[in-house]
Amino acid sequence: MSARVSREFKIDAAIHYDSSFIINSYLIVLDMDVITEDVREQNISLERIKFILEGCIDNCIMIHDTELVAINAYTSAGIRVCTLPEEPYDQIVAAVIMSKLNAVAEGKLSITEVTINSKICDGVSFHISREEDSDFRSTQGVWWTDNSPSICDVPKKSNKKDKIVQLRKDVPDWIDLGLGWKEPDSHIDPKFGTEIVFMNLDKQ
């Protein structure tokens, strides 16, 4: 029987909307079913989720992926960009986040609902369920359905007059981050024994 858990995240991120740069803050609550019984896989799944939210989306700017000129300006200034398939409304942000987190958890955890509340929405919360994000999950070849630690895509060139924006491709691998599913090879000094203990350093 799978356990049901929830986790709260607070992140700060800007949005690009109507040619304006707007600072925003988000409270995101994830409702999750724990699928795997392997404690190490549970911990890695949660650490991957934390990395996407706290290591990638926190302090980024979210922008519709058609805004090529603005994307180029932000990336040229060294600002981390999160491209979205639509304007950065809270409902869209929540649906994309749900799809991405389920992709990186790879069936070890299942995010069943995302609740999002942002500063600019004046206390209104939006609830997105797994069924409601099906359109986003069915889209292939985009970062929110890919299981890598990425939050942006290179926009496609629509005509000869458009400039191709090259987003930074310095995306690490989960193994590089120490968050691969397989246990790393260990060279253990016999005097320390052969037992390996995996510690969960998450205080929550």
Side-chain angles (χ1 to χ4, degrees):
M1 182 178 69
S2 62
R4 187 160 179 80
V5 298
S6 63
R7 177 67 188 267
E8 180 180 289
F9 294 88
K10 295 179 181 179
I11 62 174
D12 296 314
I15 63 171
H16 178 94
Y17 179 75
D18 196 22
S19 300
S20 298
F21 180 92
I22 304 170
I23 301 296
N24 202 7
S25 58
Y26 297 86
L27 175 63
I28 298 171
V29 180
L30 308 178
D31 290 327
M32 301 173 281
D33 288 337
V34 180
I35 307 302
T36 180
E37 296 182 357
D38 188 305
V39 174
R40 183 175 183 274
E41 290 182 344
Q42 294 171 8
N43 290 339
I44 288 175
S45 299
L46 184 56
E47 290 301 320
R48 286 187 176 193
I49 288 170
K50 289 171 60 180
F51 182 82
I52 294 295
L53 292 175
E54 299 177 343
C56 297
I57 295 179
D58 191 43
N59 293 320
C60 79
I61 180 165
M62 292 184 278
I63 183 172
H64 192 185
D65 60 13
T66 59
E67 297 279 1
L68 303 184
V69 174
I71 290 172
N72 188 42
Y74 290 131
T75 54
S76 296
I79 298 174
R80 185 164 60 248
V81 169
C82 173
T83 53
L84 299 175
E86 299 182 30
E87 295 290 353
Y89 302 118
D90 281 8
Q91 304 97 307
I92 301 302
V93 173
V96 167
I97 284 176
M98 172 177 280
S99 179
K100 180 62 175 183
L101 299 185
N102 275 314
V104 301
E106 299 188 61
K108 314 300 183 182
L109 296 179
S110 176
I111 294 86
T112 57
E113 183 169 287
V114 174
T115 302
I116 189 169
N117 181 305
S118 74
K119 181 179 179 181
I120 63 174
C121 280
D122 196 24
V124 177
S125 296
F126 295 93
H127 305 267
I128 302 295
S129 68
R130 187 75 189 271
E131 292 73 24
E132 293 173 292
D133 85 321
S134 58
D135 290 341
F136 293 92
R137 284 187 286 115
S138 63
T139 306
Q140 300 300 312
V142 290
W143 68 263
W144 58 88
T145 58
D146 181 74
N147 63 5
S148 70
S150 171
I151 60 166
C152 66
D153 293 316
V154 178
K156 295 181 180 179
K157 185 177 180 181
S158 59
N159 59 59
K160 293 183 179 179
K161 294 182 179 180
D162 286 340
K163 293 182 179 179
I164 299 177
V165 180
Q166 296 293 337
L167 299 187
R168 290 176 296 175
K169 304 299 288 184
D170 54 347
V171 178
D173 185 87
W174 289 121
I175 295 176
D176 297 333
L177 295 168
L179 296 176
W181 298 120
K182 293 183 179 179
E183 297 182 15
D185 292 334
S186 300
H187 301 284
I188 303 173
D189 190 320
K191 68 181 179 182
F192 294 113
T194 58
E195 182 179 2
I196 301 175
V197 179
F198 291 98
M199 299 179 63
N200 181 6
L201 301 180
D202 181 11
K203 296 183 178 179
Q204 296 190 33

